[in-house]
């Protein structure tokens, strides 16, 4: 490629990223480690109509973003997160939809020596089909085995590789011999920019019920603190009113003072038997209904007893 063509390509790249920054309010910063060109093409196809993927050198992306800060100063929050092998995914759609589409495009891959394990790897108890001469190989990995029908059998489930650790040569060889591809690679969402705010993708997992529960817990804490220190707030006002009403009822019960809300309680304390008599018919009516229901169920079951389809 001649210098003139490269300069034209860079100019077009800056124009394109400028248009994307103006058009889309939401940007996903995605890691692209271990993603091959064919898989990247499949990801672009799956996101068609939902989002646009832009890859490039970090220096070029940062330069393009800085040149656009005059139009949108909030884009500066993106710059600290553009490091490593990353790309940008621009979208206007629901972020959860975009997130799920990106994460659904993963490709199984073998464990290679020296790679960082993205997840825990377990080897299930199984007959490996390998001859007894490989026993020393399993012993070096502290894997319990036995010989069954002339081949090596792994006795129990083994935690072979821990997440975040380097894959050793022996572990990689074993998984290759067992024809196991434990890892799945694809674009990894590192951060999300949305109208000037940058947050981690875990925020998308928060539901409305969780937000309501947190809000209720916060209101309860504010009310408790306000009542404890005697400082009135909107959260504590209902509790203060109820507590004040309870004190008024207590005063009315112990004195001749009365008001409409206290008359029912004073009447009950004066003659509890009157309320017991009034409540008895209602309880009896409920018992009668339950008894009648049970009798009807018993009659239906009796009707079915002793008869068949051909009687």
């Amino acid at each position: 490629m001649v210098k003139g063509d490269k300069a034209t390509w860079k100019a077009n790249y800056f124009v394109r990223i400028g248009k994307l920054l103006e058009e889309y309010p939401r940007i996903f910063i995605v890691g692209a480690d271990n993603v091959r060109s064919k898989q990247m093409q499949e990801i672009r196809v799956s996101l068609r109509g939902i989002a646009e993927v832009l890859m490039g050198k970090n220096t070029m992306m940062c330069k393009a973003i800085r040149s656009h800060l005059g139009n949108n100063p909030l884009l500066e929050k993106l710059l600290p997160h553009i490091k490593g092998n990353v790309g940008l995914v621009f979208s206007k759609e629901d972020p959860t939809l975009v997130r799920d589409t990106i994460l659904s495009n993963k490709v199984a891959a073998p464990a290679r020596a020296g790679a960082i394990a993205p997840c825990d790897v377990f080897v299930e108890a199984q007959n490996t089909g390998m001859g007894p001469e490989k026993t020393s190989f399993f012993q070096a990995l502290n894997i319990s085995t036995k010989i069954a029908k002339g081949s090596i059998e792994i006795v129990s489930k083994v935690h072979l590789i821990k997440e975040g650790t380097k894959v050793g040569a022996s572990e990689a060889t074993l998984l290759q011999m067992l024809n196991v591809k434990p890892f799945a690679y694809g674009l990894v969402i590192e951060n999300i920019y949305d109208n000037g705010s940058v947050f981690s993708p875990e925020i998308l997992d928060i539901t409305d019920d969780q937000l309501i529960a947190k809000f209720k817990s916060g209101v309860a804490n504010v009310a408790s603190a306000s009542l404890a220190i005697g400082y009135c707030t909107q959260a504590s006002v209902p509790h203060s009113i109820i507590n004040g009403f309870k004190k008024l009822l207590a005063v009315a019960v112990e004195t001749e003072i009365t008001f409409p809300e206290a008359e029912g309680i004073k009447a009950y304390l004066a003659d509890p038997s009157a309320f017991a008599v009034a409540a008895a018919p209602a309880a009896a009516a409920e018992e009668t209904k339950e008894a009648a229901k049970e009798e009807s169920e018993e009659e239906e079951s009796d009707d079915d007893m002793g008869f068949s389809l051909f009687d």
Side-chain angles (χ1 to χ4, degrees):
M1 180 182 290
V2 297
K3 187 174 181 180
D5 292 337
K6 188 174 182 180
T8 303
W9 179 85
K10 282 187 176 181
N12 293 335
Y13 183 86
F14 287 133
V15 170
R16 184 188 176 202
I17 194 172
K19 288 181 178 178
L20 292 173
L21 291 171
E22 288 181 1
E23 182 178 355
Y24 293 96
R26 190 173 297 113
I27 305 170
F28 292 75
I29 304 170
V30 295
D33 290 336
N34 302 301
V35 179
R36 298 181 180 274
S37 57
K38 183 180 178 182
Q39 184 182 359
M40 181 61 71
Q41 184 63 28
E42 293 173 353
I43 293 172
R44 291 180 187 274
V45 172
S46 66
L47 289 172
R48 192 169 294 164
I50 301 175
E52 289 197 38
V53 181
L54 180 73
M55 305 299 294
K57 291 183 178 180
N58 292 356
T59 52
M60 291 182 63
M61 288 191 287
C62 290
K63 184 177 180 180
I65 291 172
R66 288 192 183 97
S67 66
H68 204 73
L69 292 179
N71 298 332
N72 187 0
L74 296 176
L75 290 172
E76 188 175 5
K77 295 181 180 180
L78 280 171
L79 298 176
H81 304 286
I82 300 179
K83 54 187 177 180
N85 186 17
V86 299
L88 303 178
V89 178
F90 299 82
S91 177
K92 297 178 182 177
E93 303 296 329
D94 179 15
T96 304
L97 171 63
V98 179
R99 187 268 314 266
D100 293 343
T101 305
I102 292 173
L103 297 183
S104 64
N105 286 275
K106 290 182 180 279
V107 175
R112 292 186 171 85
I116 302 298
C119 61
D120 291 320
V121 179
F122 294 89
V123 175
E124 301 291 338
Q126 59 182 296
N127 191 313
T128 63
M130 302 177 194
E133 68 277 3
K134 298 286 187 180
T135 302
S136 59
F137 181 78
F138 287 90
Q139 289 176 345
L141 291 171
N142 294 322
I143 298 176
S144 301
T145 60
K146 67 179 181 179
I147 304 301
K149 298 180 180 180
S151 59
I152 298 174
E153 181 177 323
I154 299 175
V155 176
S156 59
K157 186 177 181 179
V158 180
H159 191 178
L160 187 64
I161 305 172
K162 293 183 178 180
E163 181 180 358
T165 60
K166 273 190 177 183
V167 179
S170 299
E171 289 87 349
T173 303
L174 173 61
L175 292 170
Q176 187 176 1
M177 290 190 298
L178 295 175
N179 195 27
V180 175
K181 295 181 178 180
F183 302 147
Y185 293 120
L187 294 180
V188 178
I189 300 174
E190 297 181 356
N191 289 284
I192 301 172
Y193 170 90
D194 192 349
N195 291 305
S197 300
V198 179
F199 52 88
S200 64
E202 288 77 14
I203 299 297
L204 299 179
D205 295 324
I206 298 176
T207 63
D208 291 342
D209 292 337
Q210 290 175 322
L211 290 174
I212 293 172
K214 288 289 184 182
F215 179 77
K216 288 181 177 179
S217 176
V219 171
N221 291 336
V222 171
S224 299
S226 300
L227 292 172
I229 64 177
Y231 184 81
C232 186
T233 62
Q234 288 185 353
S236 67
V237 165
H239 301 280
S240 299
I241 293 174
I242 292 173
N243 291 336
F245 181 68
K246 288 179 181 178
K247 292 178 181 179
L248 289 175
L249 287 178
V251 172
V253 167
E254 295 296 330
T255 64
E256 298 298 327
I257 300 173
T258 186
F259 51 91
E261 288 78 6
E263 291 176 356
I265 294 178
K266 297 187 76 170
Y268 175 79
L269 294 175
D271 187 11
S273 60
F275 290 86
V277 172
E286 290 294 330
E287 291 178 359
T288 303
K289 288 181 181 179
E290 291 179 1
K293 184 178 180 181
E294 291 177 358
E295 289 178 2
S296 63
E297 291 178 354
E298 290 178 359
E299 289 176 359
E300 289 177 0
S301 61
D302 291 342
D303 291 341
D304 293 337
M305 292 294 289
F307 294 95
S308 67
L309 182 63
F310 302 102
D311 287 344

